[in-house]
């Protein structure tokens, strides 16, 4: 398989063509080998325009959705980012190229362990994988310049809003089943929140205490 050609085609035909234009995001999407993050039997589909199963009833998101959510975080390179829902580690690998430090939380222990090993093996050394319930965030490293949630909740957990720095961006799918909306929340001075809607999405549910 010519993965670099597949990757270039993915960026051109699935991502740029749909309006993602942040040059750093496009570069990261061109660099991270998506085939490393899908199950062995599915590598031929790694660059297809849809999500794929990764075991434990979970999925690696569609490439375009990864790029769109990443662009909405507006990363410049100096940020500390929190991801909720490590899954395959692909989104975390993209973030690692764009931010200073990435903390990613996964509730399924088997996935957290496997992905921690994978990210280390491939040199994504600024990513820390934590096994835990992301609905509580990760207070030890707060505040975060950017937070990305890759599973859908009815509403955004309070802890995540609290752990967002002033000026920070939080991107998350909110809603149930086919009725989810991708939201971006920007925390302004005095903890004022600006909320924007960025279209319909379909994610697996966020499962946790909060
Ligand atoms: N970002 C992932 C990737 O790049 O492969 C895709 C994530 S998948 C769509 C959603 C993930 O969120 C699943 O692995 C699921 O186990 C995890 N998840 C669901 N609820 C969670 C919670 N409360 N805390 C942490 N992870 C959670």
């Amino acid at each position: 398989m010519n993965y670099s050609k597949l990757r270039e085609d993915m960026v051109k035909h699935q991502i740029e063509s749909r309006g993602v234009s942040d040059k750093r995001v496009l570069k990261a999407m061109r660099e991270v080998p998506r085939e490393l993050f899908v199950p062995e039997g599915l590598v031929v589909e790694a660059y297809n325009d849809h999500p794929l199963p990764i075991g434990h009833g979970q999925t690696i998101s569609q490439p375009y959705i990864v790029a769109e959510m990443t662009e909405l975080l507006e990363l410049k390179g100096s940020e500390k980012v929190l991801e909720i829902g490590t899954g395959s580690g692909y989104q975390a690998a993209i973030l690692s190229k764009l931010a200073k430090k990435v903390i990613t939380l996964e509730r399924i222990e088997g996935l957290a362990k496997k992905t921690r090993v994978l990210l280390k093996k491939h040199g994504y050394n600024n990513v820390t994988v934590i096994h835990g319930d992301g609905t509580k965030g990760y207070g030890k490293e707060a505040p975060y310049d950017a937070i990305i949630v890759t599973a859908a909740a009815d509403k955004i957990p309070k802890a995540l809003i609290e752990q967002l720095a002033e000026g920070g961006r939080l991107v998350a799918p909110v809603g149930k089943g086919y009725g989810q909306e991708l939201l971006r929340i920007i925390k302004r001075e005095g903890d004022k929140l600006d909320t924007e809607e960025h279209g319909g999405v379909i994610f697996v549910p966020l499962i946790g205490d909060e």
Side-chain angles (χ1 to χ4, degrees):
M1 298 286 280
N2 184 347
Y3 289 120
S4 44
K5 162 92 169 65
L6 289 174
R7 208 172 299 131
E8 188 53 43
D9 286 350
M10 168 190 84
V11 171
K12 221 168 152 182
H13 302 302
Q14 300 174 32
I15 297 174
E16 276 186 300
S17 64
R18 290 186 175 119
V20 173
S21 62
D22 182 322
K23 290 203 164 45
R24 296 181 72 245
V25 174
L26 296 172
K27 184 167 182 280
M29 298 295 296
R30 279 193 173 97
E31 285 175 356
V32 175
R34 189 169 158 92
E35 68 275 13
L36 298 179
F37 297 90
V38 304
E40 238 174 83
L42 292 174
V43 287
V44 291
E45 296 186 51
Y47 292 92
N48 289 4
D49 193 13
H50 53 72
L52 289 169
I54 55 168
H56 303 269
Q58 305 304 322
T59 53
I60 173 174
S61 304
Q62 179 190 13
Y64 164 65
I65 292 293
V66 173
E68 185 193 19
M69 291 175 80
T70 307
E71 182 170 64
L72 288 170
L73 297 175
E74 292 183 358
L75 301 173
K76 303 288 179 251
S78 59
E79 298 84 355
K80 192 195 282 186
V81 182
L82 176 68
E83 180 193 24
I84 308 302
T86 312
S88 69
Y90 178 66
Q91 173 76 70
I94 296 286
L95 294 171
S96 88
K97 300 236 171 232
L98 298 168
K100 188 165 178 204
K101 186 169 184 180
V102 180
I103 311 281
T104 177
L105 263 75
E106 172 55 55
R107 65 174 276 273
I108 299 173
E109 191 168 14
L111 268 181
K113 275 191 180 153
K114 186 175 162 204
T115 302
R116 186 181 294 124
V117 171
L118 184 73
L119 287 165
K120 193 151 198 83
K121 178 175 168 198
H122 293 286
Y124 296 99
N125 295 323
N126 60 344
V127 180
T128 305
V129 179
I130 310 276
H131 169 232
D133 175 4
T135 64
K136 296 173 181 163
Y138 192 66
K140 270 189 210 161
E141 291 273 358
Y144 300 95
D145 305 297
I147 300 180
I148 176 168
V149 186
T150 63
D154 284 350
K155 59 182 177 117
I156 293 168
K158 215 172 99 215
L160 298 184
I161 303 280
E162 284 166 5
Q163 291 173 21
L164 189 64
E166 188 174 297
R169 288 80 57 203
L170 183 153
V171 174
V174 175
K176 278 199 180 78
Y178 292 100
Q180 299 170 20
E181 182 77 25
L182 186 62
L183 298 186
R184 174 165 75 168
I185 292 180
I186 303 176
K187 198 185 241 189
R188 306 282 185 201
E189 216 182 316
D191 288 348
K192 185 182 166 293
L193 302 176
D194 281 349
T195 304
E196 306 162 356
E197 294 186 353
H198 287 276
V201 284
I202 303 172
F203 275 84
V204 294
L206 184 73
I207 299 168
D209 289 344
E210 307 293 326

